[in-house]
Amino acid sequence: GSLEDGGETSTPTIKELWPRVMDRHQAWKPATRYRREQIYKDHIAPVWADVEAGDITYLQVQDWATETLAPKFASPGTPSQIVTCLRFALEEARRAGHIESNPCEGVYITATGESTRRRGGDSDATDAERNTLTEEQVERIISHITVPVYRDAVRLLAACGMRWGEMAGLRAEDVDLQAQTITIRRTVSHVSTGIDPVRRPKTGRTRVIALPTAVLPMMEERVAANPDGWLFPSPRDNTFLGTPGAGLWFGAAVDAARKEDPSIPEGFHPHSLRHTAVSRWLAAGVPMTTVAEQVGHATVATTQRVYAHIMPDSLDRIRDL
């Protein structure tokens, strides 16, 4: 505990402080709240739950970050998020006057674990470079999918480059078959029990994308069959189509396709179907600004960073002028 007026007094434990964190940060997006709750349960509570805030020192936190967290991860991003959650809890103690300073301040974050496939941040570019399929490889994966709605979902993602949640959230009202456009108004995904799975798109705004002719007949059938509900309903309960885990139907189809074509990346994820679509557009000369709008990137700079590897001869084109 902390020393106060010459005597030792108890201070709140981390498990007592954590609910205050969640109460203070009501403005966090549902996905952020869910992620930080999971971080607390998986990484913080097992170590710090019963420890009083006044007993935690900077060196203890630094040793935990270096000796326990760093070996588990190949990127400092996740250890940093974990320490940040502990810092939030200790900040509640500091605000209430239980401790003078936050022992998480100044903690140096490292990552010494083995390299694993990662998504997000700068790893998007690596993901795009490693996981761009040919049209033949996409069709090979689809050939090993038996459920029609799953086959259609994969084909649309590879053609339009939208995110899984955006595809799963499509309704008939979002599709203009005459104009061959789709309006992305929402994204859907399970975040946590009691939280509405329907949210605004990732960038927070509606966008209109092109519907390629190759998938137009399939979308016509989807609209006709589902005029009032999800265009891609789950075959199990008719709700929206959840993202398939690695051990489910998509992973099984990828594994089967890899036996026929080992060049298909191991562990290929549905999100990476975006990269196949983009590589096709850039090869056809579609402007980068249009590509950015189609895939829903907040800025063109993001698109340029992620897909720079697809245009390795750009400088050569200028030299040849």
Side-chain angles (χ1 to χ4, degrees), residues 5-146:
D5 297 329
E8 187 170 355
T9 62
S10 63
T11 56
T13 61
I14 297 302
K15 69 180 178 185
E16 292 171 332
L17 291 165
W18 185 249
R20 302 184 196 177
V21 174
M22 300 307 291
D23 184 60
R24 180 182 298 278
H25 296 283
Q26 296 288 339
W28 281 344
K29 293 180 179 179
T32 301
R33 293 180 66 83
Y34 176 73
R35 182 171 65 252
R36 287 175 173 161
E37 283 278 33
Q38 290 302 118
I39 286 175
Y40 175 79
K41 293 175 183 177
D42 296 342
H43 300 284
I44 297 174
V47 178
W48 303 101
D50 296 317
V51 182
E52 291 186 18
D55 289 336
I56 300 175
T57 67
Y58 163 81
L59 288 178
Q60 288 176 330
V61 178
Q62 182 65 74
D63 288 346
W64 172 60
T66 303
E67 298 172 9
T68 302
L69 300 182
K72 293 182 178 180
F73 302 99
S75 167
T78 301
S80 178
Q81 291 178 29
I82 295 171
V83 173
T84 294
C85 286
L86 179 60
R87 180 173 61 79
F88 282 138
L90 289 166
E91 188 62 19
E92 292 300 318
R94 190 195 66 78
R95 287 171 181 263
H98 297 297
I99 56 178
E100 292 184 1
S101 60
N102 193 321
C104 289
E105 297 299 335
V107 171
Y108 180 69
I109 307 299
T110 58
T112 58
E114 292 295 320
S115 179
T116 56
R117 181 176 174 272
R118 302 182 300 276
R119 283 188 20 221
D122 289 337
S123 64
D124 277 345
T126 302
D127 183 55
E129 190 166 5
R130 292 177 179 172
N131 294 285
T132 298
L133 303 183
T134 64
E135 292 184 53
E136 292 74 17
Q137 288 174 322
V138 172
E139 287 301 321
R140 190 175 294 278
I141 291 174
I142 290 175
S143 72
H144 291 285
I145 300 173
T146 58

Side-chain angles (χ1 to χ4, degrees), residues 201-314:
K202 186 175 181 180
T203 57
R205 63 183 180 85
T206 296
R207 73 181 191 279
V208 178
I209 66 174
L211 177 62
T213 301
V215 291
L216 184 59
M218 179 269 288
M219 289 299 288
E220 289 175 340
E221 293 177 5
R222 285 270 142 213
V223 170
N226 305 280
D228 301 314
W230 305 114
L231 287 187
F232 295 87
S234 169
R236 292 178 299 175
D237 53 15
N238 219 40
T239 59
F240 66 86
L241 201 59
T243 309
L248 298 179
W249 59 268
F250 188 83
V254 170
D255 291 343
R258 290 191 74 249
K259 292 179 181 178
E260 301 169 354
D261 182 358
S263 66
I264 295 175
E266 184 177 4
F268 184 84
H269 190 275
H271 180 83
S272 297
L273 290 166
R274 285 159 62 81
H275 309 323
T276 297
V278 171
S279 66
R280 195 176 305 165
W281 302 333
L282 292 176
V286 177
M288 190 69 75
T289 52
T290 304
V291 172
E293 180 65 22
Q294 181 86 8
V295 298
H297 282 160
T299 66
V300 177
T302 299
T303 312
Q304 291 172 327
R305 173 178 57 77
V306 174
Y307 297 107
H309 68 282
I310 297 178
M311 301 176 293
D313 61 342
S314 297

